[in-house]
Amino acid sequence: MATASPILGIDLGTTNSLVGVVDSGFPILLADADGARLTPSAVHYAADGCVTVGAAAVRQRAIDPTRTVTSVKRLIGRRAGEAEWKPAYDLKALGKSPAEGSADILKHLKAIAESALETEVSRAVITVPAYFNDAQRNETKRAGELAGLTVERIVSEPTAAALAYGLDKLEENKKIAVYDLGGGTFDISILEMRDGVFQVLATAGDTQLGGDDIDRALADWILRASALPSDSAIQHARLIAAAEEAKKKLSAEAEFTVELPFFQDTANLSVRVQRSDLDAIAQPLIERTRLHCRRALLDAGLSAADLDDVILVGGSTRMPLVRQVVQDIFGREPNVSQNPDEAVGLGAVIQAGILSGALRNVVLLDVTPLSLGIETFGGLMNIIIPRNSTIPCRAGEMFTNAVANQQEMLIRVLQGERELAKDNWELGRIAVPFPPGPKGSARVGVQFAIDANGILQVLARDTATNTDTILEIQNSAVDVDDEKVEKMIAESVDFAFEDMNERIWTEAHLKSEELLKAVDEALEQCAGLVPEDEVEKIKVAASEVRNVMQAELHDARALKAANQLLDDATQQLAVLLVERAMEAALERKLS
Ligand code: AMP
């Protein structure tokens, strides 16, 4: 099927950026060669003209801070002197404009996508903060163009986050707050969704408030608690890094010990931090978001009770205290169903998918995330409903008994993308009894039906007796953990070659069995009628088939070739068989 050229979804963040694309109906974020999806928004411009982007540039910052550009987003679209934020580098001295700095990050993201997708891409959707004005949006667009990308749309970050949270599938009009607390900035946006269109009603925030402030405050506390002196910049950098690590650990644990060996000459720093210590330090900073939230609600003309959902975005919203404060501000539990680092990026990808036509149905849960089928003879997966089918849907197939005198057919309902049944997941099984008969005599119709709620019903009907056997499988047909889906799809790609070989092998093996049986019977029937050397040729070809069948290594191609040779060698025998059958028929007629 020909698809339109892909459109990338890009979250061009202050600290980190993400790139993704809709692949086979799924929004996915792409990883770089190291397997990382988050790319630090950092660019190092070496004196020799070499440009490094991402984690490698962050490493350069320690050695070469004046040539390492970070947080360039804070500078974009601002006139000279307008920005209150002062970086350690001088962009002008490096011969770059903020748009050019951003373009280098975008070029890197484009390259990540191109190598992951193995195709060139030239179109993108890029997200910007809701408060970005026209000049800032245009500069971002220009950055995309400098990177060789046609920017199909600039999307507000909270809108993207709301898209990723799947709120688009709610039919009624909804009002949502997106609370975004990252490393350096805080944004609150109130959105209204009407007929699938998001409108930002109000935004507020603080461009100087984020996780970094908490790190600094905690670093000071740790130093005071250690009673050690600190005077160098290197010590300061070590403390900040240790404080950030402790802060992150304390999101999941109740206490953490910061250890910095040889902090001051031979003295080691060792300080135990309780989560309650961190909370006391962070509380006044996080409290500052309350005012902005109130202000945004006021501007939108709403009260907290008018909201339908509060969405958390940004790495700092992983802190339990932040969640607690948000709950207190809005009087409801925030929605934490998504990865706060990836929500904006995923939303950008979804928007890109809608634009490119790769995502026709934005209601993501309304498609089957993985294929559904049953196991067939030889242990193969037979797909009945392919992945990404929109639900409700219904499909079926007719099956027969593969061996004579089979008493029943066991139907194993499978989910997955692998060629062999054993590599897919079994959702359930049913046994369909039927009267014994020769091979191919039974007729069992199997029908899969998924209703609008994602419930799969498997119906097996013995057409001879018209008896139905029904199996109902709750939500599992549609409700699969995203990670598991991604893993299954990735494995189906990784093992595509082996799986295909195994499928062809199994099919060839079944063919070999049939052929050998037919050849043995024919030789018996035509004994004495076929010349000796012809018989010898057939026996050699048959034994070659048996040899390949028994080989430990499943060489599907060799088996197919051996089958073909046997088939060729029996041409004369086949003609003889037909002649004999005709003679017999003629005799019967004449007598
Ligand atoms: P962002 O700008 O959205 O990438 O957010 C980055 C900020 O999130 C940094 O200040 C991180 O220290 C902070 N962060 C990331 N993970 C956690 C965590 N598990 N607990 C607390 N803060 C975190």
Side-chain angles (χ1 to χ4, degrees), residues 372-433:
L372 296 159
I374 69 170
E375 175 175 347
T376 54
F377 200 58
L380 296 176
M381 165 77 166
N382 184 319
I383 292 175
I384 297 197
I385 295 181
R387 110 186 154 87
N388 279 331
S389 302
T390 3
I391 63 167
C393 58
R394 187 184 288 270
E397 238 175 86
M398 190 70 87
F399 295 91
T400 184
N401 56 328
V403 234
N405 293 324
Q406 216 174 309
Q407 305 268 340
E408 61 170 26
M409 187 187 276
L410 178 68
I411 295 179
R412 290 181 64 211
V413 180
L414 304 171
Q415 180 171 44
E417 304 309 316
R418 304 288 299 273
E419 297 285 342
L420 299 188
K422 70 174 172 58
D423 296 321
N424 292 317
W425 306 321
E426 181 177 318
L427 297 181
R429 49 170 74 192
I430 32 175
V432 183

Short mmCIF file of all heavy atoms in Angstrom, two decimals, residues 372-433:
data_model
loop_
_atom_site.label_atom_id
_atom_site.label_comp_id
_atom_site.label_asym_id
_atom_site.label_seq_id
_atom_site.Cartn_x
_atom_site.Cartn_y
_atom_site.Cartn_z
N LEU A 372 -5.09 -10.72 15.58
CA LEU A 372 -5.75 -11.81 16.29
C LEU A 372 -5.95 -12.95 15.31
O LEU A 372 -6.29 -12.73 14.14
CB LEU A 372 -7.11 -11.33 16.81
CG LEU A 372 -7.02 -10.22 17.86
CD1 LEU A 372 -8.33 -9.47 17.96
CD2 LEU A 372 -6.64 -10.80 19.21
N GLY A 373 -5.74 -14.15 15.77
CA GLY A 373 -5.89 -15.28 14.87
C GLY A 373 -5.95 -16.57 15.62
O GLY A 373 -6.15 -16.59 16.84
N ILE A 374 -5.80 -17.67 14.89
CA ILE A 374 -5.79 -18.97 15.56
C ILE A 374 -4.61 -19.79 15.05
O ILE A 374 -4.04 -19.50 14.00
CB ILE A 374 -7.12 -19.75 15.36
CG1 ILE A 374 -7.28 -20.20 13.91
CG2 ILE A 374 -8.31 -18.94 15.82
CD1 ILE A 374 -8.45 -21.19 13.76
N GLU A 375 -4.29 -20.81 15.82
CA GLU A 375 -3.19 -21.69 15.42
C GLU A 375 -3.72 -22.66 14.37
O GLU A 375 -4.81 -23.21 14.51
CB GLU A 375 -2.68 -22.46 16.63
CG GLU A 375 -1.62 -23.48 16.24
CD GLU A 375 -0.99 -24.18 17.43
OE1 GLU A 375 -1.20 -23.74 18.57
OE2 GLU A 375 -0.31 -25.18 17.20
N THR A 376 -2.94 -22.85 13.31
CA THR A 376 -3.37 -23.85 12.33
C THR A 376 -2.38 -24.99 12.32
O THR A 376 -1.36 -24.95 13.01
CB THR A 376 -3.45 -23.28 10.91
OG1 THR A 376 -2.22 -22.68 10.61
CG2 THR A 376 -4.57 -22.28 10.79
N PHE A 377 -2.68 -25.97 11.51
CA PHE A 377 -1.87 -27.18 11.43
C PHE A 377 -0.40 -26.82 11.21
O PHE A 377 -0.09 -25.94 10.41
CB PHE A 377 -2.39 -28.05 10.28
CG PHE A 377 -1.96 -29.47 10.42
CD1 PHE A 377 -2.31 -30.19 11.55
CD2 PHE A 377 -1.21 -30.08 9.43
CE1 PHE A 377 -1.92 -31.51 11.69
CE2 PHE A 377 -0.82 -31.40 9.56
CZ PHE A 377 -1.17 -32.11 10.69
N GLY A 378 0.48 -27.48 11.94
CA GLY A 378 1.90 -27.22 11.80
C GLY A 378 2.37 -26.12 12.74
O GLY A 378 3.51 -25.69 12.66
N GLY A 379 1.48 -25.61 13.60
CA GLY A 379 1.89 -24.62 14.59
C GLY A 379 2.06 -23.22 14.03
O GLY A 379 2.83 -22.43 14.57
N LEU A 380 1.36 -22.92 12.95
CA LEU A 380 1.48 -21.59 12.36
C LEU A 380 0.37 -20.67 12.85
O LEU A 380 -0.70 -21.12 13.25
CB LEU A 380 1.42 -21.70 10.83
CG LEU A 380 2.56 -22.48 10.17
CD1 LEU A 380 2.32 -22.58 8.68
CD2 LEU A 380 3.90 -21.81 10.44
N MET A 381 0.65 -19.38 12.78
CA MET A 381 -0.35 -18.37 13.16
C MET A 381 -1.16 -18.04 11.91
O MET A 381 -0.60 -17.71 10.87
CB MET A 381 0.37 -17.12 13.65
CG MET A 381 -0.49 -15.86 13.75
SD MET A 381 -1.54 -15.90 15.21
CE MET A 381 -2.09 -14.19 15.30
N ASN A 382 -2.48 -18.14 12.05
CA ASN A 382 -3.35 -17.78 10.94
C ASN A 382 -4.15 -16.55 11.37
O ASN A 382 -4.99 -16.63 12.26
CB ASN A 382 -4.28 -18.97 10.65
CG ASN A 382 -5.14 -18.71 9.43
OD1 ASN A 382 -5.65 -17.61 9.25
ND2 ASN A 382 -5.32 -19.70 8.60
N ILE A 383 -3.83 -15.43 10.77
CA ILE A 383 -4.45 -14.17 11.20
C ILE A 383 -5.89 -14.06 10.72
O ILE A 383 -6.17 -14.29 9.54
CB ILE A 383 -3.62 -12.97 10.70
CG1 ILE A 383 -2.27 -12.95 11.42
CG2 ILE A 383 -4.37 -11.65 10.97
CD1 ILE A 383 -1.32 -11.89 10.94
N ILE A 384 -6.79 -13.73 11.62
CA ILE A 384 -8.18 -13.52 11.24
C ILE A 384 -8.52 -12.03 11.23
O ILE A 384 -9.11 -11.53 10.29
CB ILE A 384 -9.13 -14.33 12.15
CG1 ILE A 384 -8.79 -15.82 11.92
CG2 ILE A 384 -10.60 -14.03 11.84
CD1 ILE A 384 -9.78 -16.81 12.38
N ILE A 385 -8.11 -11.33 12.29
CA ILE A 385 -8.29 -9.87 12.29
C ILE A 385 -6.90 -9.23 12.37
O ILE A 385 -6.22 -9.35 13.38
CB ILE A 385 -9.18 -9.40 13.47
CG1 ILE A 385 -10.60 -9.97 13.29
CG2 ILE A 385 -9.23 -7.88 13.54
CD1 ILE A 385 -11.57 -9.57 14.37
N PRO A 386 -6.47 -8.58 11.30
CA PRO A 386 -5.13 -7.99 11.33
C PRO A 386 -5.04 -6.80 12.29
O PRO A 386 -6.06 -6.20 12.61
CB PRO A 386 -4.89 -7.50 9.90
CG PRO A 386 -6.10 -7.81 9.14
CD PRO A 386 -7.16 -8.34 10.05
N ARG A 387 -3.83 -6.52 12.71
CA ARG A 387 -3.65 -5.42 13.65
C ARG A 387 -4.06 -4.11 13.00
O ARG A 387 -4.00 -3.98 11.77
CB ARG A 387 -2.22 -5.44 14.15
CG ARG A 387 -1.29 -4.38 13.74
CD ARG A 387 0.08 -4.75 14.28
NE ARG A 387 1.11 -4.14 13.48
CZ ARG A 387 1.56 -2.92 13.71
NH1 ARG A 387 1.08 -2.21 14.70
NH2 ARG A 387 2.51 -2.42 12.96
N ASN A 388 -4.49 -3.17 13.83
CA ASN A 388 -4.95 -1.86 13.37
C ASN A 388 -6.30 -1.90 12.67
O ASN A 388 -6.64 -0.99 11.93
CB ASN A 388 -3.96 -1.21 12.41
CG ASN A 388 -2.84 -0.55 13.16
OD1 ASN A 388 -3.06 -0.12 14.29
ND2 ASN A 388 -1.69 -0.49 12.58
N SER A 389 -7.06 -2.98 12.86
CA SER A 389 -8.41 -2.99 12.31
C SER A 389 -9.27 -2.13 13.23
O SER A 389 -9.15 -2.22 14.45
CB SER A 389 -8.99 -4.40 12.30
OG SER A 389 -8.15 -5.24 11.56
N THR A 390 -10.13 -1.33 12.64
CA THR A 390 -10.99 -0.50 13.48
C THR A 390 -12.09 -1.37 14.05
O THR A 390 -12.63 -2.23 13.37
CB THR A 390 -11.65 0.62 12.66
OG1 THR A 390 -11.29 0.45 11.31
CG2 THR A 390 -11.29 1.98 13.15
N ILE A 391 -12.40 -1.11 15.32
CA ILE A 391 -13.48 -1.89 15.93
C ILE A 391 -14.74 -1.02 16.00
O ILE A 391 -14.63 0.20 16.01
CB ILE A 391 -13.09 -2.41 17.33
CG1 ILE A 391 -12.84 -1.24 18.30
CG2 ILE A 391 -11.85 -3.26 17.26
CD1 ILE A 391 -12.77 -1.68 19.75
N PRO A 392 -15.93 -1.59 16.03
CA PRO A 392 -16.22 -3.02 16.00
C PRO A 392 -15.88 -3.64 14.64
O PRO A 392 -15.94 -2.98 13.61
CB PRO A 392 -17.73 -3.05 16.26
CG PRO A 392 -18.24 -1.71 15.86
CD PRO A 392 -17.13 -0.75 16.07
N CYS A 393 -15.52 -4.92 14.66
CA CYS A 393 -15.25 -5.60 13.40
C CYS A 393 -15.52 -7.10 13.56
O CYS A 393 -15.68 -7.60 14.67
CB CYS A 393 -13.83 -5.36 12.94
SG CYS A 393 -12.58 -5.87 14.09
N ARG A 394 -15.58 -7.77 12.41
CA ARG A 394 -15.97 -9.16 12.38
C ARG A 394 -15.26 -9.81 11.18
O ARG A 394 -15.18 -9.20 10.11
CB ARG A 394 -17.48 -9.18 12.16
CG ARG A 394 -18.18 -10.50 12.24
CD ARG A 394 -19.64 -10.26 11.89
NE ARG A 394 -20.34 -9.54 12.95
CZ ARG A 394 -20.98 -10.14 13.96
NH1 ARG A 394 -21.04 -11.45 14.01
NH2 ARG A 394 -21.59 -9.45 14.88
N ALA A 395 -14.72 -11.00 11.37
CA ALA A 395 -14.08 -11.70 10.26
C ALA A 395 -14.05 -13.18 10.57
O ALA A 395 -14.10 -13.57 11.75
CB ALA A 395 -12.66 -11.19 10.06
N GLY A 396 -14.01 -13.98 9.53
CA GLY A 396 -14.01 -15.41 9.78
C GLY A 396 -13.37 -16.21 8.67
O GLY A 396 -13.05 -15.68 7.61
N GLU A 397 -13.20 -17.49 8.93
CA GLU A 397 -12.60 -18.39 7.95
C GLU A 397 -13.12 -19.79 8.19
O GLU A 397 -13.59 -20.11 9.29
CB GLU A 397 -11.08 -18.38 8.14
CG GLU A 397 -10.35 -17.96 6.88
CD GLU A 397 -8.86 -17.85 7.14
OE1 GLU A 397 -8.18 -18.89 7.03
OE2 GLU A 397 -8.41 -16.74 7.45
N MET A 398 -12.98 -20.63 7.16
CA MET A 398 -13.44 -22.02 7.30
C MET A 398 -12.22 -22.92 7.46
O MET A 398 -11.22 -22.75 6.78
CB MET A 398 -14.20 -22.39 6.02
CG MET A 398 -14.93 -23.68 6.10
SD MET A 398 -16.34 -23.58 7.22
CE MET A 398 -17.59 -22.98 6.11
N PHE A 399 -12.31 -23.84 8.42
CA PHE A 399 -11.19 -24.76 8.63
C PHE A 399 -11.69 -26.20 8.51
O PHE A 399 -12.88 -26.48 8.65
CB PHE A 399 -10.57 -24.53 10.01
CG PHE A 399 -9.93 -23.19 10.13
CD1 PHE A 399 -10.65 -22.10 10.60
CD2 PHE A 399 -8.62 -23.00 9.73
CE1 PHE A 399 -10.06 -20.85 10.68
CE2 PHE A 399 -8.02 -21.76 9.80
CZ PHE A 399 -8.75 -20.68 10.28
N THR A 400 -10.73 -27.08 8.27
CA THR A 400 -11.11 -28.48 8.14
C THR A 400 -10.16 -29.36 8.95
O THR A 400 -9.16 -28.87 9.46
CB THR A 400 -11.13 -28.89 6.65
OG1 THR A 400 -11.60 -30.22 6.57
CG2 THR A 400 -9.76 -28.79 6.03
N ASN A 401 -10.50 -30.63 9.07
CA ASN A 401 -9.59 -31.51 9.83
C ASN A 401 -8.41 -31.91 8.96
O ASN A 401 -8.57 -32.27 7.79
CB ASN A 401 -10.34 -32.75 10.35
CG ASN A 401 -11.01 -33.53 9.26
OD1 ASN A 401 -11.45 -32.95 8.26
ND2 ASN A 401 -11.08 -34.85 9.42
N ALA A 402 -7.23 -31.85 9.52
CA ALA A 402 -6.01 -32.11 8.76
C ALA A 402 -5.66 -33.59 8.77
O ALA A 402 -4.88 -34.05 7.95
CB ALA A 402 -4.87 -31.30 9.33
N VAL A 403 -6.19 -34.32 9.73
CA VAL A 403 -5.94 -35.75 9.82
C VAL A 403 -7.27 -36.50 9.83
O VAL A 403 -8.26 -35.99 10.32
CB VAL A 403 -5.16 -36.12 11.12
CG1 VAL A 403 -3.90 -36.90 10.79
CG2 VAL A 403 -4.83 -34.91 11.97
N ALA A 404 -7.22 -37.72 9.31
CA ALA A 404 -8.44 -38.52 9.28
C ALA A 404 -8.85 -38.92 10.70
O ALA A 404 -8.01 -39.04 11.60
CB ALA A 404 -8.21 -39.77 8.44
N ASN A 405 -10.14 -39.08 10.89
CA ASN A 405 -10.70 -39.55 12.15
C ASN A 405 -10.42 -38.68 13.37
O ASN A 405 -10.44 -39.16 14.49
CB ASN A 405 -10.26 -40.99 12.44
CG ASN A 405 -10.87 -41.93 11.42
OD1 ASN A 405 -12.01 -41.71 10.99
ND2 ASN A 405 -10.10 -42.90 10.99
N GLN A 406 -10.17 -37.42 13.11
CA GLN A 406 -9.99 -36.49 14.22
C GLN A 406 -11.34 -36.35 14.92
O GLN A 406 -12.37 -36.29 14.25
CB GLN A 406 -9.58 -35.14 13.62
CG GLN A 406 -8.58 -34.36 14.44
CD GLN A 406 -8.15 -33.11 13.69
OE1 GLN A 406 -7.76 -33.19 12.52
NE2 GLN A 406 -8.23 -31.97 14.34
N GLN A 407 -11.33 -36.30 16.25
CA GLN A 407 -12.59 -36.24 16.99
C GLN A 407 -13.03 -34.81 17.27
O GLN A 407 -14.20 -34.53 17.45
CB GLN A 407 -12.46 -36.95 18.34
CG GLN A 407 -11.98 -38.37 18.24
CD GLN A 407 -13.16 -39.33 18.15
OE1 GLN A 407 -14.27 -38.99 18.52
NE2 GLN A 407 -12.92 -40.52 17.64
N GLU A 408 -12.02 -33.96 17.37
CA GLU A 408 -12.35 -32.58 17.67
C GLU A 408 -11.26 -31.66 17.14
O GLU A 408 -10.17 -32.12 16.80
CB GLU A 408 -12.50 -32.38 19.19
CG GLU A 408 -11.22 -32.68 19.95
CD GLU A 408 -11.29 -32.26 21.41
OE1 GLU A 408 -12.39 -32.21 21.96
OE2 GLU A 408 -10.23 -31.97 21.98
N MET A 409 -11.60 -30.40 17.03
CA MET A 409 -10.60 -29.44 16.59
C MET A 409 -10.35 -28.50 17.77
O MET A 409 -11.29 -27.98 18.36
CB MET A 409 -11.14 -28.66 15.41
CG MET A 409 -10.10 -27.75 14.79
SD MET A 409 -10.83 -26.71 13.53
CE MET A 409 -10.79 -27.79 12.14
N LEU A 410 -9.07 -28.33 18.10
CA LEU A 410 -8.75 -27.42 19.19
C LEU A 410 -8.43 -26.06 18.58
O LEU A 410 -7.56 -25.93 17.72
CB LEU A 410 -7.54 -27.94 19.97
CG LEU A 410 -7.10 -27.01 21.11
CD1 LEU A 410 -8.14 -26.98 22.23
CD2 LEU A 410 -5.75 -27.42 21.66
N ILE A 411 -9.19 -25.07 19.01
CA ILE A 411 -8.95 -23.73 18.49
C ILE A 411 -8.27 -22.89 19.56
O ILE A 411 -8.83 -22.63 20.61
CB ILE A 411 -10.27 -23.07 18.04
CG1 ILE A 411 -10.80 -23.89 16.86
CG2 ILE A 411 -10.06 -21.61 17.65
CD1 ILE A 411 -12.10 -23.40 16.32
N ARG A 412 -7.02 -22.54 19.27
CA ARG A 412 -6.28 -21.67 20.20
C ARG A 412 -6.36 -20.26 19.66
O ARG A 412 -5.94 -19.99 18.54
CB ARG A 412 -4.82 -22.09 20.29
CG ARG A 412 -4.60 -23.42 20.99
CD ARG A 412 -3.12 -23.74 21.04
NE ARG A 412 -2.40 -22.78 21.84
CZ ARG A 412 -1.14 -22.42 21.61
NH1 ARG A 412 -0.46 -22.93 20.61
NH2 ARG A 412 -0.54 -21.54 22.40
N VAL A 413 -6.93 -19.36 20.44
CA VAL A 413 -7.06 -17.97 20.01
C VAL A 413 -5.78 -17.23 20.36
O VAL A 413 -5.36 -17.22 21.53
CB VAL A 413 -8.27 -17.28 20.69
CG1 VAL A 413 -8.40 -15.84 20.24
CG2 VAL A 413 -9.53 -18.07 20.39
N LEU A 414 -5.14 -16.66 19.35
CA LEU A 414 -3.83 -16.05 19.55
C LEU A 414 -3.82 -14.57 19.24
O LEU A 414 -4.61 -14.09 18.42
CB LEU A 414 -2.80 -16.74 18.65
CG LEU A 414 -2.66 -18.25 18.78
CD1 LEU A 414 -1.78 -18.79 17.67
CD2 LEU A 414 -2.08 -18.61 20.14
N GLN A 415 -2.87 -13.89 19.87
CA GLN A 415 -2.69 -12.47 19.61
C GLN A 415 -1.21 -12.23 19.40
O GLN A 415 -0.39 -12.68 20.20
CB GLN A 415 -3.18 -11.69 20.84
CG GLN A 415 -3.03 -10.20 20.69
CD GLN A 415 -3.73 -9.48 21.82
OE1 GLN A 415 -3.60 -9.87 22.97
NE2 GLN A 415 -4.46 -8.43 21.51
N GLY A 416 -0.85 -11.52 18.34
CA GLY A 416 0.56 -11.21 18.11
C GLY A 416 0.90 -11.14 16.65
O GLY A 416 0.07 -11.40 15.79
N GLU A 417 2.16 -10.81 16.41
CA GLU A 417 2.59 -10.57 15.03
C GLU A 417 3.59 -11.61 14.52
O GLU A 417 4.16 -11.45 13.46
CB GLU A 417 3.25 -9.18 14.93
CG GLU A 417 2.38 -8.04 15.40
CD GLU A 417 1.01 -8.04 14.76
OE1 GLU A 417 0.92 -8.24 13.54
OE2 GLU A 417 0.01 -7.87 15.50
N ARG A 418 3.81 -12.65 15.32
CA ARG A 418 4.83 -13.62 14.91
C ARG A 418 4.22 -14.71 14.03
O ARG A 418 3.04 -15.02 14.14
CB ARG A 418 5.48 -14.24 16.15
CG ARG A 418 6.09 -13.22 17.11
CD ARG A 418 7.35 -12.60 16.57
NE ARG A 418 8.38 -13.60 16.34
CZ ARG A 418 9.25 -14.01 17.26
NH1 ARG A 418 9.21 -13.50 18.47
NH2 ARG A 418 10.15 -14.93 16.98
N GLU A 419 5.05 -15.30 13.18
CA GLU A 419 4.57 -16.30 12.22
C GLU A 419 4.21 -17.62 12.89
O GLU A 419 3.33 -18.34 12.45
CB GLU A 419 5.64 -16.57 11.16
CG GLU A 419 5.98 -15.37 10.30
CD GLU A 419 4.91 -15.06 9.27
OE1 GLU A 419 4.08 -15.94 9.00
OE2 GLU A 419 4.89 -13.93 8.75
N LEU A 420 4.95 -17.94 13.98
CA LEU A 420 4.69 -19.21 14.64
C LEU A 420 3.76 -19.00 15.83
O LEU A 420 3.93 -18.06 16.60
CB LEU A 420 6.01 -19.84 15.14
CG LEU A 420 7.03 -20.16 14.05
CD1 LEU A 420 8.19 -20.95 14.64
CD2 LEU A 420 6.40 -20.95 12.91
N ALA A 421 2.81 -19.90 15.97
CA ALA A 421 1.82 -19.78 17.04
C ALA A 421 2.49 -19.67 18.40
O ALA A 421 2.09 -18.88 19.24
CB ALA A 421 0.90 -20.99 17.00
N LYS A 422 3.54 -20.43 18.61
CA LYS A 422 4.16 -20.49 19.94
C LYS A 422 4.75 -19.15 20.39
O LYS A 422 4.96 -18.92 21.56
CB LYS A 422 5.22 -21.59 19.99
CG LYS A 422 6.46 -21.30 19.20
CD LYS A 422 7.52 -22.39 19.42
CE LYS A 422 8.72 -22.23 18.49
NZ LYS A 422 9.43 -20.97 18.59
N ASP A 423 5.07 -18.28 19.43
CA ASP A 423 5.65 -16.99 19.79
C ASP A 423 4.59 -15.92 20.07
O ASP A 423 4.92 -14.81 20.46
CB ASP A 423 6.58 -16.50 18.68
CG ASP A 423 7.77 -17.41 18.50
OD1 ASP A 423 8.29 -17.89 19.52
OD2 ASP A 423 8.17 -17.66 17.34
N ASN A 424 3.34 -16.23 19.82
CA ASN A 424 2.27 -15.28 20.10
C ASN A 424 1.62 -15.59 21.44
O ASN A 424 1.94 -16.59 22.07
CB ASN A 424 1.24 -15.31 18.97
CG ASN A 424 1.84 -14.76 17.68
OD1 ASN A 424 2.54 -13.75 17.70
ND2 ASN A 424 1.58 -15.43 16.57
N TRP A 425 0.73 -14.73 21.88
CA TRP A 425 0.08 -14.94 23.18
C TRP A 425 -1.24 -15.65 23.00
O TRP A 425 -2.01 -15.31 22.10
CB TRP A 425 -0.18 -13.60 23.88
CG TRP A 425 1.04 -12.76 24.01
CD1 TRP A 425 2.30 -13.17 24.29
CD2 TRP A 425 1.12 -11.34 23.83
NE1 TRP A 425 3.17 -12.11 24.31
CE2 TRP A 425 2.47 -10.97 24.03
CE3 TRP A 425 0.19 -10.33 23.54
CZ2 TRP A 425 2.92 -9.66 23.94
CZ3 TRP A 425 0.64 -9.03 23.45
CH2 TRP A 425 1.98 -8.70 23.65
N GLU A 426 -1.51 -16.61 23.88
CA GLU A 426 -2.78 -17.32 23.80
C GLU A 426 -3.80 -16.59 24.66
O GLU A 426 -3.58 -16.36 25.85
CB GLU A 426 -2.60 -18.76 24.28
CG GLU A 426 -3.90 -19.53 24.18
CD GLU A 426 -3.76 -21.00 24.57
OE1 GLU A 426 -2.79 -21.66 24.19
OE2 GLU A 426 -4.68 -21.49 25.25
N LEU A 427 -4.94 -16.22 24.06
CA LEU A 427 -5.97 -15.52 24.82
C LEU A 427 -7.00 -16.50 25.37
O LEU A 427 -7.72 -16.19 26.31
CB LEU A 427 -6.69 -14.50 23.94
CG LEU A 427 -5.86 -13.34 23.37
CD1 LEU A 427 -6.74 -12.42 22.55
CD2 LEU A 427 -5.20 -12.54 24.48
N GLY A 428 -7.09 -17.67 24.76
CA GLY A 428 -8.06 -18.66 25.21
C GLY A 428 -8.09 -19.80 24.21
O GLY A 428 -7.43 -19.75 23.17
N ARG A 429 -8.84 -20.85 24.54
CA ARG A 429 -8.94 -21.97 23.60
C ARG A 429 -10.31 -22.62 23.71
O ARG A 429 -10.93 -22.59 24.76
CB ARG A 429 -7.84 -23.00 23.84
CG ARG A 429 -7.68 -23.44 25.28
CD ARG A 429 -6.74 -24.62 25.39
NE ARG A 429 -5.33 -24.22 25.18
CZ ARG A 429 -4.36 -25.09 24.99
NH1 ARG A 429 -4.62 -26.40 24.95
NH2 ARG A 429 -3.12 -24.69 24.85
N ILE A 430 -10.77 -23.19 22.60
CA ILE A 430 -12.01 -23.95 22.64
C ILE A 430 -11.83 -25.22 21.82
O ILE A 430 -11.13 -25.23 20.81
CB ILE A 430 -13.25 -23.20 22.07
CG1 ILE A 430 -12.87 -22.23 20.94
CG2 ILE A 430 -14.03 -22.51 23.14
CD1 ILE A 430 -14.10 -21.59 20.30
N ALA A 431 -12.49 -26.27 22.26
CA ALA A 431 -12.45 -27.53 21.52
C ALA A 431 -13.80 -27.69 20.82
O ALA A 431 -14.84 -27.59 21.45
CB ALA A 431 -12.20 -28.67 22.48
N VAL A 432 -13.75 -27.92 19.51
CA VAL A 432 -15.00 -28.10 18.75
C VAL A 432 -15.10 -29.57 18.36
O VAL A 432 -14.28 -30.08 17.60
CB VAL A 432 -14.98 -27.24 17.47
CG1 VAL A 432 -16.30 -27.36 16.73
CG2 VAL A 432 -14.67 -25.80 17.80
N PRO A 433 -16.07 -30.29 18.93
CA PRO A 433 -16.18 -31.71 18.59
C PRO A 433 -16.85 -31.89 17.23
O PRO A 433 -17.67 -31.06 16.83
CB PRO A 433 -17.09 -32.24 19.71
CG PRO A 433 -17.86 -31.05 20.19
CD PRO A 433 -17.12 -29.83 19.84
#
